[in-house]
Amino acid sequence: MIDVIKFQDKADQIFSASSSLETIASGYHFTEGPVWDSVEKCLYFTNFQDNTIYKWSKEEGCVLFRRESGRAVGLSLFSDGRVVSAETKSHAVTIAGPEKSQILAGSYEGKILNSPNDVVVSSTGWLYFTDPYSVAMNDIRELDFNGVYAVSPEKEIFLLDDRMERPNGIAFSPDETILYVNDTNRQLIQAYQMRDKKEASLTGVFARLDVSYGPGAADGMKVDVEGNVYVTGPAGIWVVDKNGDPVAILKSPEFVGNFCFGGENNQTLFITASTSVYRVPVGIPGIIPVRRQNNRKGSIYRRAVI
C-alpha cells in the first residue's frame, strides 16, 4: 500500500489507497532522469554513479543503453526517438546515442556550461535546460552564475535567468505559457511567463516545500494534463495544484531524485529513487513526449493532451 500525506480531496483522485509501489529495477547507485518512449513502450533512465543510461521494457527488463554517458542526469526525447541528455561531466546538452553524443549546447558567450542537470523540449522543438554548478564534478568553472537556458532548433542558446541559487527541475504548463523551474537550495518552485521562445518573465515563487516533512529536496519535476505540478521534495514526491497549493505527498522508501509519466494512457508514475526504479498508477494522465513513427525530419517534441 502506498503512503500518502493528503492536503486536498484531489489527492484521492490522483493516488488510490489500494495502490502499491512496484519495483521494476534495482541494484543501482543513483538513478535519475527517467523518460518514457510511447512508441517503443520503454523507459530510459540514468545511473549517475556508474556514468550510464539504461533502457527498461516489460518484455526485456533492464538493458544497458549507453556507457560513458558524460554523467548524464536529466533526459528527454525528440519525436523520432532520439534521446536528449543533460550531461553534467561533459558540460553539455546532447543527443545521446548508444555510443556517442551530438552536442546541442555546450557553451554560452564563449564559456563552457557548468553542469547541465535537467532538460525539457517544447512543442516547437526548442530545448530548455537548467545549468547549476555541480561540486560533485570537482571540475573547472567558467560561468559565475547558475543559468536557465533556451536553445533553438538551430542550436542558438539564450539565457532566460541567471538569478537562481541552484536551478534544477524544469517543466512546462500544459499550454506551455508557463515555465516552472525549481531551486534545490531554496526548496521552492519559480514560475516564468513565456514572452516568446527565447524570453521569459519571472512572475514569482509558485510554491514552497516544507522541509519539516522529512529529508528530500526539490529536484525532478513534471506536470499532468490538469496543470498539477509534481516535484520531488521533503519525504517524497509533492503534488501542487495549478494555484501553487499542496495537494499531496507520495512518500517513498528511498530518496527520490526524479520521475516521469508513462505507461498505459500516461497514467503510470515511474520513480527513480537511489538504488531502485519504481512505478505506481495515478488517476490523472501526465504530460509526456509524444513520439511519431519513422519521423527523421527534425527534432520536434509535442506534449500529450489527453
Side-chain angles (χ1 to χ4, degrees), residues 150-227:
V151 182
S152 74
E154 294 75 32
K155 301 181 184 180
E156 299 173 284
I157 186 169
F158 302 91
L159 179 65
L160 298 183
D161 195 0
D162 61 0
R163 296 165 291 180
M164 298 186 74
E165 289 187 21
R166 186 173 178 77
N168 199 326
I170 186 168
F172 273 106
S173 63
D175 63 3
E176 297 184 354
T177 61
I178 303 296
L179 181 68
Y180 299 107
V181 182
N182 64 51
D183 191 324
T184 300
N185 288 2
R186 298 168 63 198
Q187 295 279 35
L188 55 77
I189 303 170
Q190 294 195 155
Y192 297 82
Q193 180 73 45
M194 298 303 299
R195 297 169 58 188
D196 56 33
K197 297 180 184 67
K198 63 184 179 181
E199 294 184 341
S201 297
L202 176 64
T203 59
V205 175
F206 171 71
R208 295 183 184 274
L209 306 182
D210 188 341
V211 298
S212 68
Y213 283 94
D219 194 338
M221 188 163 58
K222 302 293 186 293
V223 178
D224 70 23
V225 298
E226 293 188 3

Side-chain angles (χ1 to χ4, degrees), residues 102-268:
Q102 175 188 343
I103 294 177
L104 299 171
S107 63
Y108 176 70
E109 295 187 340
K111 298 180 180 180
I112 65 169
L113 297 173
N114 294 320
S115 300
N117 188 281
D118 209 353
V119 59
V120 65
V121 192
S122 76
S123 61
T124 60
W126 282 60
L127 302 170
Y128 296 83
F129 71 95
T130 55
D131 185 43
Y133 177 72
S134 174
V135 294
M137 295 298 94
N138 192 28
D139 207 345
I140 58 175
R141 180 174 191 176
E142 294 186 0
L143 293 168
D144 61 0
F145 60 86
N146 297 320
V148 180
Y149 295 92
V151 182
S152 74
E154 294 75 32
K155 301 181 184 180
E156 299 173 284
I157 186 169
F158 302 91
L159 179 65
L160 298 183
D161 195 0
D162 61 0
R163 296 165 291 180
M164 298 186 74
E165 289 187 21
R166 186 173 178 77
N168 199 326
I170 186 168
F172 273 106
S173 63
D175 63 3
E176 297 184 354
T177 61
I178 303 296
L179 181 68
Y180 299 107
V181 182
N182 64 51
D183 191 324
T184 300
N185 288 2
R186 298 168 63 198
Q187 295 279 35
L188 55 77
I189 303 170
Q190 294 195 155
Y192 297 82
Q193 180 73 45
M194 298 303 299
R195 297 169 58 188
D196 56 33
K197 297 180 184 67
K198 63 184 179 181
E199 294 184 341
S201 297
L202 176 64
T203 59
V205 175
F206 171 71
R208 295 183 184 274
L209 306 182
D210 188 341
V211 298
S212 68
Y213 283 94
D219 194 338
M221 188 163 58
K222 302 293 186 293
V223 178
D224 70 23
V225 298
E226 293 188 3
N228 301 302
V229 178
Y230 298 60
V231 60
T232 66
I237 297 175
W238 287 57
V239 182
V240 180
D241 68 21
K242 60 185 179 182
N243 297 315
D245 297 320
V247 173
I249 302 173
L250 173 63
K251 299 185 74 173
S252 171
E254 296 187 87
F255 182 88
V256 179
N258 213 328
F259 55 90
C260 73
F261 293 101
E264 188 72 21
N265 298 320
N266 307 331
Q267 286 183 268
T268 298

